[in-house]
Amino acid sequence: MTERALYARPIPADPALGDDQTLPLAGGPVRFAFAQILSRSAPPRVVPARALPDDLLERLTAPRAPICGLTLDRPRIMGVINVTPDSFSDGGRHLAAEAAAEAGRRMLAEGADILDIGGESTRPGAAEIPAEEEAARVLPVITALRGAAPLSIDTRKPEVARAAFAAGAALYNDVSALTFAPDSLAAAAELGGPVCLMHAQGDPQTMQRNPRYDDVLLDVYDWLAARVAACEAAGIARARILVDPGIGFGKTLAHNLALLRGLSLFHGLGCAILLGVSRKSFIGALSGEADPARRAPGSIAAGLAGLAQGVQILRVHDVAQTAQAVAVWRAIRHGENP
Protein backbone atom coordinates (compact mmCIF):
# COMPACT_ATOMS: atom_id res chain seq x y z
CA MET A 1 0.00 0.00 0.00
CA THR A 2 1.20 3.52 -0.76
CA GLU A 3 1.03 6.41 1.69
CA ARG A 4 -1.88 8.75 1.08
CA ALA A 5 -1.36 12.48 1.45
CA LEU A 6 -3.69 12.60 4.43
CA TYR A 7 -5.92 10.28 6.42
CA ALA A 8 -8.27 12.24 8.68
CA ARG A 9 -10.68 10.52 11.06
CA PRO A 10 -13.30 12.98 12.36
CA ILE A 11 -13.81 12.77 16.12
CA PRO A 12 -17.55 13.02 16.86
CA ALA A 13 -18.30 15.93 19.19
CA ASP A 14 -20.49 16.12 22.27
CA PRO A 15 -23.97 17.15 21.05
CA ALA A 16 -23.96 19.85 23.74
CA LEU A 17 -21.38 21.83 21.77
CA GLY A 18 -22.98 24.56 19.71
CA ASP A 19 -23.09 24.52 15.92
CA ASP A 20 -20.72 27.50 15.90
CA GLN A 21 -18.05 25.27 17.43
CA THR A 22 -18.55 22.16 15.26
CA LEU A 23 -19.05 21.04 11.68
CA PRO A 24 -21.63 18.55 10.32
CA LEU A 25 -20.32 15.09 9.49
CA ALA A 26 -21.55 14.26 5.97
CA GLY A 27 -24.36 16.76 6.42
CA GLY A 28 -25.99 14.63 9.11
CA PRO A 29 -26.79 15.11 12.79
CA VAL A 30 -23.36 14.00 14.06
CA ARG A 31 -20.88 16.88 14.26
CA PHE A 32 -17.13 17.20 14.85
CA ALA A 33 -14.64 19.86 15.85
CA PHE A 34 -11.40 17.85 15.67
CA ALA A 35 -9.93 15.12 13.50
CA GLN A 36 -7.32 12.48 14.18
CA ILE A 37 -4.59 12.45 11.54
CA LEU A 38 -3.47 8.89 10.85
CA SER A 39 -0.32 7.70 9.11
CA ARG A 40 1.48 4.49 8.25
CA SER A 41 4.76 5.96 9.48
CA ALA A 42 4.00 8.37 12.34
CA PRO A 43 1.95 8.39 15.56
CA PRO A 44 -1.63 9.72 15.34
CA ARG A 45 -2.18 13.39 16.13
CA VAL A 46 -5.27 15.51 16.62
CA VAL A 47 -5.92 18.77 14.76
CA PRO A 48 -8.84 21.22 14.62
CA ALA A 49 -11.28 20.26 11.89
CA ARG A 50 -11.05 23.68 10.28
CA ALA A 51 -7.30 23.18 9.81
CA LEU A 52 -7.92 20.36 7.30
CA PRO A 53 -7.43 21.06 3.57
CA ASP A 54 -10.50 22.55 1.92
CA ASP A 55 -11.08 19.65 -0.47
CA LEU A 56 -10.94 17.04 2.31
CA LEU A 57 -13.11 19.16 4.59
CA GLU A 58 -15.68 19.42 1.81
CA ARG A 59 -15.81 15.62 1.43
CA LEU A 60 -16.17 15.20 5.19
CA THR A 61 -18.95 17.74 5.66
CA ALA A 62 -21.01 17.83 2.46
CA PRO A 63 -24.52 16.35 2.70
CA ARG A 64 -24.81 13.02 0.93
CA ALA A 65 -27.20 12.76 -2.00
CA PRO A 66 -30.42 10.80 -1.50
CA ILE A 67 -30.22 7.08 -2.26
CA CYS A 68 -33.25 5.51 -3.95
CA GLY A 69 -35.21 8.63 -2.98
CA LEU A 70 -34.23 8.32 0.69
CA THR A 71 -32.61 11.38 2.23
CA LEU A 72 -29.60 10.62 4.38
CA ASP A 73 -29.98 13.36 6.96
CA ARG A 74 -31.14 10.70 9.44
CA PRO A 75 -30.27 7.02 9.93
CA ARG A 76 -31.86 4.55 7.53
CA ILE A 77 -32.54 0.86 8.09
CA MET A 78 -32.01 -1.76 5.39
CA GLY A 79 -33.82 -5.04 6.05
CA VAL A 80 -32.08 -8.25 4.96
CA ILE A 81 -33.98 -10.89 2.98
CA ASN A 82 -31.86 -13.95 2.23
CA VAL A 83 -33.62 -16.11 -0.37
CA THR A 84 -31.14 -18.91 0.25
CA PRO A 85 -30.96 -22.31 1.95
CA ASP A 86 -27.56 -21.69 3.54
CA SER A 87 -27.09 -18.11 4.76
CA PHE A 88 -25.29 -18.02 8.11
CA SER A 89 -28.18 -16.59 10.13
CA ASP A 90 -31.49 -17.36 8.48
CA GLY A 91 -30.77 -19.75 5.62
CA GLY A 92 -33.91 -21.54 4.46
CA ARG A 93 -36.43 -19.35 6.32
CA HIS A 94 -37.21 -17.28 3.24
CA LEU A 95 -36.35 -19.67 0.43
CA ALA A 96 -39.97 -19.76 -0.77
CA ALA A 97 -40.80 -16.57 -2.69
CA GLU A 98 -44.01 -15.86 -0.78
CA ALA A 99 -42.31 -16.37 2.58
CA ALA A 100 -39.59 -13.93 1.52
CA ALA A 101 -42.12 -11.39 0.28
CA GLU A 102 -44.09 -11.66 3.51
CA ALA A 103 -40.90 -11.15 5.50
CA GLY A 104 -40.24 -8.03 3.47
CA ARG A 105 -43.70 -6.63 4.13
CA ARG A 106 -43.25 -7.31 7.84
CA MET A 107 -39.88 -5.52 7.87
CA LEU A 108 -41.41 -2.49 6.19
CA ALA A 109 -44.17 -2.38 8.79
CA GLU A 110 -41.50 -2.61 11.51
CA GLY A 111 -39.57 0.37 10.19
CA ALA A 112 -37.28 -0.71 7.34
CA ASP A 113 -36.62 2.01 4.76
CA ILE A 114 -35.17 -0.29 2.10
CA LEU A 115 -35.00 -4.05 1.56
CA ASP A 116 -31.86 -5.94 0.45
CA ILE A 117 -32.70 -9.15 -1.40
CA GLY A 118 -30.03 -11.77 -2.05
CA GLY A 119 -30.09 -15.22 -3.60
CA GLU A 120 -26.52 -16.41 -3.01
CA SER A 121 -24.99 -16.89 0.42
CA THR A 122 -21.67 -15.11 0.97
CA ARG A 123 -21.06 -16.51 4.45
CA PRO A 124 -17.54 -17.85 5.10
CA GLY A 125 -17.07 -21.08 3.18
CA ALA A 126 -20.09 -20.60 0.90
CA ALA A 127 -19.85 -21.91 -2.65
CA GLU A 128 -20.77 -19.94 -5.76
CA ILE A 129 -24.04 -20.85 -7.47
CA PRO A 130 -25.01 -20.35 -11.13
CA ALA A 131 -26.46 -16.97 -12.07
CA GLU A 132 -29.61 -18.64 -13.38
CA GLU A 133 -30.30 -20.27 -10.01
CA GLU A 134 -29.59 -17.05 -8.13
CA ALA A 135 -31.92 -15.06 -10.39
CA ALA A 136 -34.67 -17.65 -10.09
CA ARG A 137 -34.61 -17.19 -6.32
CA VAL A 138 -34.71 -13.40 -6.17
CA LEU A 139 -36.81 -12.26 -9.15
CA PRO A 140 -40.20 -13.49 -7.84
CA VAL A 141 -39.50 -11.74 -4.52
CA ILE A 142 -38.55 -8.47 -6.20
CA THR A 143 -41.63 -8.66 -8.40
CA ALA A 144 -43.87 -9.27 -5.37
CA LEU A 145 -42.40 -6.34 -3.42
CA ARG A 146 -42.03 -3.91 -6.32
CA GLY A 147 -43.47 -0.52 -5.40
CA ALA A 148 -43.71 -1.26 -1.67
CA ALA A 149 -40.31 0.28 -0.93
CA PRO A 150 -36.90 0.80 -2.53
CA LEU A 151 -35.34 -2.59 -3.24
CA SER A 152 -31.67 -3.54 -3.32
CA ILE A 153 -30.25 -6.56 -5.12
CA ASP A 154 -27.41 -8.22 -3.18
CA THR A 155 -25.35 -9.92 -5.89
CA ARG A 156 -21.87 -10.22 -7.33
CA LYS A 157 -23.14 -11.08 -10.79
CA PRO A 158 -23.96 -8.33 -13.31
CA GLU A 159 -26.46 -10.52 -15.17
CA VAL A 160 -28.41 -10.99 -11.94
CA ALA A 161 -28.26 -7.26 -11.25
CA ARG A 162 -29.61 -6.47 -14.73
CA ALA A 163 -32.50 -8.91 -14.32
CA ALA A 164 -33.23 -7.59 -10.82
CA PHE A 165 -33.35 -3.97 -12.01
CA ALA A 166 -35.71 -4.99 -14.81
CA ALA A 167 -37.95 -6.57 -12.16
CA GLY A 168 -37.93 -3.51 -9.89
CA ALA A 169 -34.67 -3.31 -7.90
CA ALA A 170 -33.05 0.11 -7.61
CA LEU A 171 -29.71 -0.44 -5.81
CA TYR A 172 -26.84 -2.75 -6.82
CA ASN A 173 -25.21 -4.05 -3.61
CA ASP A 174 -22.06 -5.98 -4.48
CA VAL A 175 -19.88 -7.63 -1.82
CA SER A 176 -17.05 -7.74 -4.39
CA ALA A 177 -17.27 -3.99 -5.07
CA LEU A 178 -17.85 -4.68 -8.78
CA THR A 179 -14.71 -6.82 -9.18
CA PHE A 180 -16.31 -10.26 -9.55
CA ALA A 181 -16.97 -10.13 -13.30
CA PRO A 182 -15.25 -8.21 -16.13
CA ASP A 183 -18.44 -6.34 -17.01
CA SER A 184 -19.59 -5.49 -13.47
CA LEU A 185 -18.54 -1.84 -13.71
CA ALA A 186 -20.13 -1.45 -17.12
CA ALA A 187 -23.37 -3.02 -15.87
CA ALA A 188 -23.54 -0.69 -12.89
CA ALA A 189 -22.93 2.34 -15.10
CA GLU A 190 -25.56 1.16 -17.57
CA LEU A 191 -28.21 0.50 -14.93
CA GLY A 192 -27.87 4.05 -13.64
CA GLY A 193 -28.86 3.37 -10.03
CA PRO A 194 -26.81 3.67 -6.86
CA VAL A 195 -24.20 1.03 -6.08
CA CYS A 196 -22.77 -0.22 -2.79
CA LEU A 197 -19.09 -1.16 -2.82
CA MET A 198 -18.08 -3.53 -0.04
CA HIS A 199 -14.54 -4.44 0.95
CA ALA A 200 -13.67 -8.14 1.21
CA GLN A 201 -10.30 -9.84 1.35
CA GLY A 202 -10.63 -12.98 -0.74
CA ASP A 203 -13.88 -14.69 -1.72
CA PRO A 204 -16.41 -16.39 0.58
CA GLN A 205 -14.62 -19.74 0.34
CA THR A 206 -11.21 -18.35 1.35
CA MET A 207 -11.74 -15.02 3.14
CA GLN A 208 -11.45 -16.26 6.72
CA ARG A 209 -8.24 -18.25 6.13
CA ASN A 210 -5.77 -16.14 8.10
CA PRO A 211 -6.61 -12.65 6.75
CA ARG A 212 -3.72 -10.17 7.04
CA TYR A 213 -3.32 -6.41 6.70
CA ASP A 214 -0.51 -3.91 7.19
CA ASP A 215 -3.00 -1.51 8.80
CA VAL A 216 -6.56 -2.73 8.43
CA LEU A 217 -8.21 0.69 8.71
CA LEU A 218 -5.95 2.39 6.19
CA ASP A 219 -5.75 -0.65 3.88
CA VAL A 220 -9.54 -0.91 3.63
CA TYR A 221 -9.82 2.85 3.13
CA ASP A 222 -7.27 2.81 0.29
CA TRP A 223 -8.92 -0.19 -1.37
CA LEU A 224 -12.34 1.45 -1.28
CA ALA A 225 -10.86 4.73 -2.53
CA ALA A 226 -9.47 2.85 -5.53
CA ARG A 227 -12.84 1.23 -6.21
CA VAL A 228 -14.61 4.60 -5.99
CA ALA A 229 -12.09 5.98 -8.49
CA ALA A 230 -12.70 3.00 -10.80
CA CYS A 231 -16.44 3.65 -10.63
CA GLU A 232 -15.98 7.31 -11.49
CA ALA A 233 -13.77 6.36 -14.44
CA ALA A 234 -16.57 4.07 -15.64
CA GLY A 235 -19.11 6.90 -15.48
CA ILE A 236 -20.63 6.21 -12.04
CA ALA A 237 -20.88 9.48 -10.13
CA ARG A 238 -19.59 9.55 -6.57
CA ALA A 239 -23.05 10.73 -5.45
CA ARG A 240 -24.40 7.32 -6.52
CA ILE A 241 -21.88 5.34 -4.45
CA LEU A 242 -22.24 3.80 -0.99
CA VAL A 243 -19.23 2.24 0.73
CA ASP A 244 -19.23 -0.66 3.19
CA PRO A 245 -16.06 -1.65 5.13
CA GLY A 246 -17.15 -5.31 5.00
CA ILE A 247 -17.20 -6.29 8.66
CA GLY A 248 -16.56 -10.04 8.85
CA PHE A 249 -15.43 -10.41 5.24
CA GLY A 250 -11.79 -11.43 5.43
CA LYS A 251 -11.25 -9.97 8.91
CA THR A 252 -10.31 -11.28 12.32
CA LEU A 253 -11.99 -10.10 15.52
CA ALA A 254 -9.22 -7.53 15.98
CA HIS A 255 -9.65 -6.28 12.40
CA ASN A 256 -13.40 -5.89 12.85
CA LEU A 257 -12.99 -3.93 16.08
CA ALA A 258 -10.37 -1.64 14.55
CA LEU A 259 -12.70 -0.86 11.65
CA LEU A 260 -15.65 -0.20 13.94
CA ARG A 261 -13.58 2.14 16.12
CA GLY A 262 -12.36 4.06 13.07
CA LEU A 263 -15.50 4.15 10.92
CA SER A 264 -15.65 7.93 10.66
CA LEU A 265 -12.47 7.84 8.55
CA PHE A 266 -14.53 6.54 5.62
CA HIS A 267 -16.46 9.82 5.34
CA GLY A 268 -13.30 11.12 3.68
CA LEU A 269 -14.32 9.14 0.59
CA GLY A 270 -17.21 11.56 0.08
CA CYS A 271 -19.73 8.70 -0.06
CA ALA A 272 -22.53 7.53 2.21
CA ILE A 273 -21.57 4.63 4.49
CA LEU A 274 -23.53 1.38 4.85
CA LEU A 275 -22.69 -0.78 7.85
CA GLY A 276 -23.52 -4.48 8.05
CA VAL A 277 -22.83 -5.92 11.51
CA SER A 278 -26.09 -7.77 12.10
CA ARG A 279 -25.71 -11.14 13.86
CA LYS A 280 -22.10 -11.52 12.74
CA SER A 281 -19.59 -13.89 14.27
CA PHE A 282 -17.56 -11.20 16.01
CA ILE A 283 -20.62 -10.55 18.19
CA GLY A 284 -20.67 -14.23 19.10
CA ALA A 285 -16.95 -14.14 19.88
CA LEU A 286 -17.40 -11.16 22.20
CA SER A 287 -20.61 -12.30 23.87
CA GLY A 288 -20.36 -16.07 23.85
CA GLU A 289 -23.67 -16.34 21.97
CA ALA A 290 -23.34 -19.17 19.46
CA ASP A 291 -26.79 -18.77 17.89
CA PRO A 292 -26.78 -15.93 15.30
CA ALA A 293 -30.53 -15.44 15.74
CA ARG A 294 -29.93 -14.48 19.40
CA ARG A 295 -27.39 -11.74 18.63
CA ALA A 296 -29.81 -8.82 18.21
CA PRO A 297 -28.57 -6.98 21.34
CA GLY A 298 -24.95 -7.13 20.19
CA SER A 299 -25.96 -6.19 16.65
CA ILE A 300 -27.80 -3.12 17.94
CA ALA A 301 -24.86 -2.09 20.13
CA ALA A 302 -22.49 -2.25 17.15
CA GLY A 303 -25.00 -0.47 14.93
CA LEU A 304 -25.47 2.41 17.36
CA ALA A 305 -21.69 2.75 17.63
CA GLY A 306 -21.71 3.19 13.87
CA LEU A 307 -24.47 5.80 13.97
CA ALA A 308 -22.46 7.73 16.56
CA GLN A 309 -19.75 8.00 13.88
CA GLY A 310 -22.15 9.24 11.21
CA VAL A 311 -23.01 6.00 9.41
CA GLN A 312 -26.10 6.58 7.29
CA ILE A 313 -27.50 3.07 6.67
CA LEU A 314 -27.62 0.00 8.93
CA ARG A 315 -28.15 -3.36 7.21
CA VAL A 316 -29.99 -5.57 9.72
CA HIS A 317 -31.99 -8.75 10.21
CA ASP A 318 -33.84 -7.60 13.36
CA VAL A 319 -35.69 -4.57 12.03
CA ALA A 320 -38.22 -3.92 14.81
CA GLN A 321 -35.62 -4.06 17.58
CA THR A 322 -33.19 -1.91 15.62
CA ALA A 323 -35.84 0.69 14.74
CA GLN A 324 -36.82 1.00 18.40
CA ALA A 325 -33.19 1.39 19.48
CA VAL A 326 -32.46 3.99 16.80
CA ALA A 327 -35.54 6.03 17.76
CA VAL A 328 -34.46 6.15 21.41
CA TRP A 329 -30.83 6.90 20.46
CA ARG A 330 -31.89 9.80 18.24
CA ALA A 331 -34.09 11.29 20.94
CA ILE A 332 -31.39 11.06 23.61
CA ARG A 333 -28.40 12.12 21.56
CA HIS A 334 -29.90 14.64 19.17
CA GLY A 335 -33.27 15.60 20.62
CA GLU A 336 -34.98 14.19 17.53
CA ASN A 337 -38.46 12.67 17.71
CA PRO A 338 -38.92 10.37 14.72
Side-chain angles (χ1 to χ4, degrees):
M1 291 288 181
T2 58
E3 178 75 52
R4 287 182 57 84
L6 190 65
Y7 299 95
R9 184 184 71 82
I11 301 171
D14 189 317
L17 291 177
D19 288 359
D20 59 332
Q21 302 176 68
T22 59
L23 297 169
L25 188 52
V30 176
R31 302 182 70 87
F32 69 109
F34 295 91
Q36 184 184 47
I37 304 303
L38 303 175
S39 170
R40 295 181 185 275
S41 56
R45 58 192 174 90
V46 174
V47 301
R50 288 185 171 87
L52 296 172
D54 289 344
D55 59 340
L56 176 55
L57 198 58
E58 171 66 17
R59 291 197 301 275
L60 290 172
T61 60
R64 301 307 184 235
I67 295 293
C68 299
L70 300 171
T71 60
L72 299 179
D73 54 351
R74 65 177 180 86
R76 297 291 183 173
I77 295 174
M78 172 184 276
V80 179
I81 303 177
N82 291 314
V83 194
T84 61
D86 57 345
S87 289
F88 81 97
S89 171
D90 56 0
R93 288 190 61 196
H94 305 138
L95 187 56
E98 185 47 45
E102 183 55 35
R105 296 184 193 103
R106 183 177 65 254
M107 288 179 182
L108 294 176
E110 292 172 344
D113 299 290
I114 185 170
L115 300 175
D116 190 39
I117 301 165
E120 178 183 65
S121 175
T122 50
R123 62 176 172 76
E128 180 186 349
I129 66 170
E132 297 78 11
E133 182 179 353
E134 184 180 344
R137 292 176 180 177
V138 298
L139 294 182
V141 183
I142 294 170
T143 300
L145 291 170
R146 181 172 189 162
L151 304 178
S152 165
I153 176 63
D154 178 2
T155 185
R156 299 179 292 172
K157 303 184 181 73
E159 59 268 47
V160 175
R162 288 189 177 99
F165 268 61
L171 189 154
Y172 186 171
N173 182 15
D174 185 353
V175 299
S176 79
L178 303 176
T179 66
F180 182 76
D183 61 335
S184 293
L185 276 168
E190 162 201 321
L191 291 170
V195 299
C196 183
L197 309 176
M198 195 196 79
H199 175 275
Q201 187 180 98
D203 59 34
Q205 288 192 295
T206 64
M207 63 189 182
Q208 289 307 110
R209 297 176 187 172
N210 194 29
R212 294 174 179 269
Y213 298 87
D214 293 330
D215 181 310
V216 66
L217 187 60
L218 304 188
D219 289 358
V220 172
Y221 184 98
D222 282 348
W223 191 89
L224 286 172
R227 294 311 301 156
V228 170
C231 283
E232 289 189 306
I236 303 168
R238 193 175 294 245
R240 286 170 49 195
I241 301 172
L242 296 160
V243 293
D244 177 348
I247 301 299
F249 282 76
K251 282 97 175 173
T252 64
L253 174 61
H255 295 149
N256 289 324
L257 292 176
L259 287 168
L260 289 168
R261 293 185 189 110
L263 278 172
S264 61
L265 176 75
F266 295 99
H267 293 291
L269 297 171
C271 302
I273 301 172
L274 183 150
L275 181 63
V277 290
S278 182
R279 300 184 178 182
K280 291 197 171 176
S281 60
F282 82 93
I283 297 169
L286 292 171
S287 67
E289 180 52 73
D291 182 357
R294 293 173 57 86
R295 294 176 185 161
S299 303
I300 290 168
L304 294 183
L307 296 188
Q309 295 192 62
V311 164
Q312 288 91 358
I313 302 176
L314 296 179
R315 182 180 182 274
V316 307
H317 299 83
D318 302 295
V319 170
Q321 297 93 321
T322 302
Q324 183 183 102
V326 170
V328 173
W329 179 86
R330 290 176 62 196
I332 293 171
R333 183 178 173 89
H334 301 294
E336 299 175 351
N337 293 313

